[in-house]
């Protein structure tokens, strides 16, 4: 009898209240990669923070997943294993020509002949695996906008922070740097049509259609130089008139030009990032220090100087520096 009562007591204890299950603050993101018929290559997928990634400014992805061409043909699936429960943006490409280099900043992007997809925003819940298929249907027409600065005579291009001095011009020349297809290397310029209504946009309200080309110098502050930690840029001005004339209001047309002249405006802007948008406000005179030159196309392709090709290609090691004007 005592043995029976002891057994019943143990059973009752086993069936009693237990600690609630604690959800892990991570989850898996996975899905099928859809590629165009007859097109193969290695698939690369990236998880960015909301609002980051192509076609916006270059950003470092938080998570990266790759699927080889062989595995893509077998399973057609990608996976991110341990992703924190947060809002994310998924973007990816199909490296058709096999020249994607994840270890070189300016080569870690799509090139001519590759395929890309749209950015997909999602919110990952803790402990809940997310099934999210991804398609890469869009053909990349041109190479990244690789270039050298023709009027640079030193390893450092010195710029002046003083107002009232003669404006500086940077002469950019397309350069395949020995790695890109020369006939498809250049500056791709078209008309912005974000809302897709077939008419050029004028986001800044200056009564001039916006071009898909953007260039600026970005400050690279040393530790302690920028306590606020904000991004500071110096805009580079491109005369839009010749391009607007050749584009003729056609938002589907893209020009590939081999040289550009950009004017350095002697004023800096602070970049403010709101949810889903980017705002600029006046910062004053450009801070003294090192800068990098960034060129963006409307497709998300980019180029920067200096870049990680610099040790092999001297033109790609060019640095920019704003200095105080001599009294």
């Amino acid at each position: 009898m005592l043995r029976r009562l002891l057994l019943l007591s143990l059973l009752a204890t086993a069936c009693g209240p237990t600690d609630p299950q604690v959800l892990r603050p991570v989850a898996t993101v996975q899905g099928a990669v859809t590629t165009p018929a007859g097109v193969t290559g290695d698939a690369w997928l990236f998880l960015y923070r909301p609002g980051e990634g192509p076609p916006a400014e270059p950003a470092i992805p938080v998570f990266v997943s790759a699927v080889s061409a062989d595995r893509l043909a077998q399973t057609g699936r990608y996976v991110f294993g341990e992703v924190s429960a947060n809002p994310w943006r998924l973007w990816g490409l199909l490296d058709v020509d096999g020249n994607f280099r994840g270890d070189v900043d300016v080569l870690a992007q799509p090139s001519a002949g590759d395929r890309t997809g749209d950015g997909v925003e999602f919110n990952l819940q803790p402990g809940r695996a997310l099934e999210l298929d991804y398609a890469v249907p869009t053909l990349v027409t041109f190479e990244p906008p690789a270039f050298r600065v023709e009027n640079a005579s030193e390893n450092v291009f010195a710029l002046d922070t003083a107002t009232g001095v003669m404006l500086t011009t940077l002469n950019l020349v397309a350069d395949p740097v020995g790695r890109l297809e020369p006939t498809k290397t250049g500056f791709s310029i078209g008309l912005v049509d974000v809302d897709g209504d077939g008419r050029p946009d004028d986001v800044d309200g200056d009564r001039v259609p916006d071009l898909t080309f953007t260039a600026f110098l970005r400050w690279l502050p040393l530790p302690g130089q920028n306590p606020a930690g904000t991004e500071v840029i110096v805009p580079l001005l491109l005369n839009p008139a010749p391009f607007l004339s050749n584009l003729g209001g056609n938002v589907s047309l893209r020009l590939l030009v081999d040289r550009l002249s950009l004017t350095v405006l002697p004023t800096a802007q602070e970049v403010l990032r709101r949810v889903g948008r980017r705002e600029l406000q006046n910062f004053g005179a450009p801070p003294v220090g090192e800068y990098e030159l960034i060129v963006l196309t409307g497709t998300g392709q980019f180029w920067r100087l200096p870049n990680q090709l610099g040790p092999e290609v001297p033109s790609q090691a060019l640095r920019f520096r704003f200095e105080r004007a001599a009294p």
Side-chain angles (χ1 to χ4, degrees), residues 198-261:
R199 294 179 296 178
D201 295 341
D202 178 17
V203 177
D204 55 13
D206 62 357
R207 298 186 179 181
V208 177
D210 298 329
L211 298 176
T212 56
F213 177 89
T214 305
F216 54 87
L217 292 163
R218 180 158 61 188
W219 186 32
L220 304 174
L222 295 174
Q225 276 190 303
N226 185 19
T230 55
E231 182 180 353
V232 177
I233 66 170
V234 174
L236 302 178
L237 184 63
L238 172 68
N239 178 12
F243 308 104
L244 294 176
S245 176
N246 288 322
L247 290 167
N250 186 350
V251 298
S252 63
L253 183 61
R254 292 292 180 270
L255 305 175
L256 188 66
V257 298
D258 61 0
R259 59 178 58 235
L260 294 172
S261 291

Side-chain angles (χ1 to χ4, degrees), residues 75-90:
T75 67
R77 295 183 63 79
Y78 75 91
V79 61
F80 292 93
E82 296 277 319
V83 180
S84 55
N86 280 310
W88 295 102
R89 184 174 185 270
L90 173 66

Side-chain angles (χ1 to χ4, degrees), residues 23 74 88 136 141 168 174 204 207 227 274 326:
L23 290 177
Q74 295 170 7
W88 295 102
V136 284
T141 307
T168 301
D204 55 13
R207 298 186 179 181
R274 314 291 188 186

Side-chain angles (χ1 to χ4, degrees), residues 81-130:
E82 296 277 319
V83 180
S84 55
N86 280 310
W88 295 102
R89 184 174 185 270
L90 173 66
W91 182 83
L93 66 91
L94 185 69
D95 179 25
V96 177
D97 52 14
N99 65 353
F100 180 92
R101 288 280 305 275
D103 59 332
V104 179
D105 52 359
V106 290
L107 299 183
Q109 60 176 315
S111 58
D114 291 343
R115 302 296 193 275
T116 61
D118 296 329
V120 179
E121 304 268 357
F122 65 91
N123 197 351
L124 189 62
Q125 301 300 317
R128 297 182 181 180
L130 177 65

